[in-house]
Amino acid sequence: MTKHEQVYLWLKSMIETNKFTEDTRLPTEEELAKQFGMNRMNIRKAMSALVDEGVIVRIRRKGTFLSNTYSKKENFFYNLNRIVSFESMIKERHMKSSYRVCENRVIEAPPQVLKELVLPDNSMVIKIYRIVSADGKPAFLEKSYFPYPEFKMLLDRDFNQPNIFSTVMESLGTGLACASQVLIAGLLDSGEKIDLQYDRFTEIPCMRQQNIICDEEQVPVFAFHATFPGDRFRFVVSSDGYKPDMV
């Protein structure tokens, strides 16, 4: 573990255990450098990571404070520079996760899935649809698509558990090497509103995530789609620098 990661985890722990609250000024870089016996560069890097995630905010001439958005426990921050599982996010918030399988059956592959998995027309796939909850409240929806009959063993598996990927790797006898990811902004449809327990007459913005998971030979193994409601998730991405286009 690097030095800045040590500071990052300590700060995150202090925040999650309410040692720092929304109205509390966090220690300065100088104070933390003295506390940890590190140079300020490591401290700055740790705090910048938390700023990128929307956890803390810097206010000029006042100091660094806990973000008022992050202090609301129902909000989750999905950092695209540091992608972690939902289970990890839940543990960081000291909440309890649960997974409910709504579908685990063979269907004709939707056109989008045919394209993602490079399958011929009229191919069949296994669709696994789950509602993922935090402290008993639905948080987001996920749908996974696996070629059939290659993955027919998944029809008998219990997916009311956190990590669907470990089951797939076990079935493959190999690792999952890489993934492509596409994010699409939109609105929840009527079925999604019901599953996420929203009023069906209210327009709810969402982010749809479409992943293609590949094996070590770069061959698509399965497609993973997730729908995140906009009032419960924040997507964060940061850049090391900005260089304007030259005209």
Side-chain angles (χ1 to χ4, degrees):
M1 182 183 297
T2 63
K3 291 183 177 180
H4 80 268
E5 286 174 338
Q6 293 175 32
V7 179
Y8 168 90
L9 291 174
W10 180 83
L11 287 169
K12 200 73 177 287
S13 174
M14 294 292 285
I15 291 168
E16 296 296 349
T17 54
N18 296 317
K19 299 297 190 302
F20 298 139
T21 62
E22 186 178 340
D23 299 322
T24 305
R25 180 184 67 80
L26 271 66
T28 64
E29 290 181 5
E30 185 176 0
E31 290 168 341
L32 288 171
K34 185 176 181 180
Q35 176 180 334
F36 285 92
M38 299 179 185
N39 63 49
R40 290 179 62 177
M41 185 65 69
N42 286 311
I43 306 300
R44 184 173 297 121
K45 194 169 184 180
M47 298 186 81
S48 293
L50 292 170
V51 170
D52 290 342
E53 293 179 18
V55 177
I56 61 177
V57 292
R58 291 187 174 115
I59 302 176
R60 189 176 177 82
R61 296 198 177 109
K62 289 187 177 181
T64 303
F65 298 84
L66 178 63
S67 163
N68 60 5
T69 306
Y70 186 84
S71 65
K72 298 176 181 178
K73 196 177 183 183
E74 66 270 18
N75 288 330
F76 298 97
F77 287 78
Y78 196 112
N79 186 351
L80 297 175
N81 295 91
R82 177 179 167 265
I83 296 176
V84 297
S85 68
F86 179 71
E87 193 68 17
S88 297
M89 284 191 281
I90 283 290
K91 287 180 179 178
E92 288 180 353
R93 306 307 296 271
H94 301 283
M95 302 171 77
K96 183 178 179 180
S97 63
S98 58
Y99 300 78
R100 179 163 69 89
V101 176
C102 301
E103 291 182 60
N104 184 2
R105 63 189 180 96
V106 178
I107 64 167
E108 185 172 335
Q112 178 68 25
V113 175
L114 286 175
K115 182 178 179 181
E116 290 172 342
L117 298 181
V118 197
L119 297 173
D121 292 344
N122 303 316
S123 291
M124 306 299 285
V125 294
I126 296 171
K127 176 185 177 183
I128 301 174
Y129 175 39
R130 305 197 303 178
I131 300 175
V132 185
S133 299
D135 281 354
K137 181 179 180 180
F140 72 98
L141 309 173
E142 61 175 41
K143 299 176 183 177
S144 301
Y145 299 90
F146 300 87
Y148 180 83
E150 292 92 325
F151 285 91
K152 63 182 180 181
M153 75 290 291
L154 299 181
L155 293 170
D156 299 322
R157 297 296 180 91
D158 176 18
F159 288 109
N160 294 297
Q161 56 184 333
N163 198 343
I164 201 169
F165 301 105
S166 59
T167 301
V168 176
M169 287 190 286
E170 179 186 328
S171 301
L172 281 174
T174 185
L176 301 175
C178 63
S180 63
Q181 179 172 248
V182 175
L183 296 174
I184 303 171
L187 295 172
L188 294 178
D189 63 32
S190 57
E192 291 169 333
K193 290 179 187 178
I194 292 172
D195 288 343
L196 289 168
Q197 298 180 3
Y198 287 102
D199 179 346
R200 62 191 180 94
F201 297 108
T202 304
E203 296 289 4
I204 305 295
C206 69
M207 187 68 77
R208 302 186 192 282
Q209 181 190 61
Q210 298 177 348
N211 292 340
I212 305 172
I213 317 298
C214 300
D215 64 16
E216 295 168 345
E217 296 181 354
Q218 310 298 307
V219 176
V221 176
F222 70 100
F224 176 82
H225 299 173
T227 301
F228 302 91
D231 65 336
R232 299 177 191 172
F233 281 83
R234 300 290 184 271
F235 283 77
V236 180
V237 62
S238 62
S239 173
D240 291 334
Y242 169 69
K243 184 177 181 181
D245 292 334
M246 302 299 292
V247 178

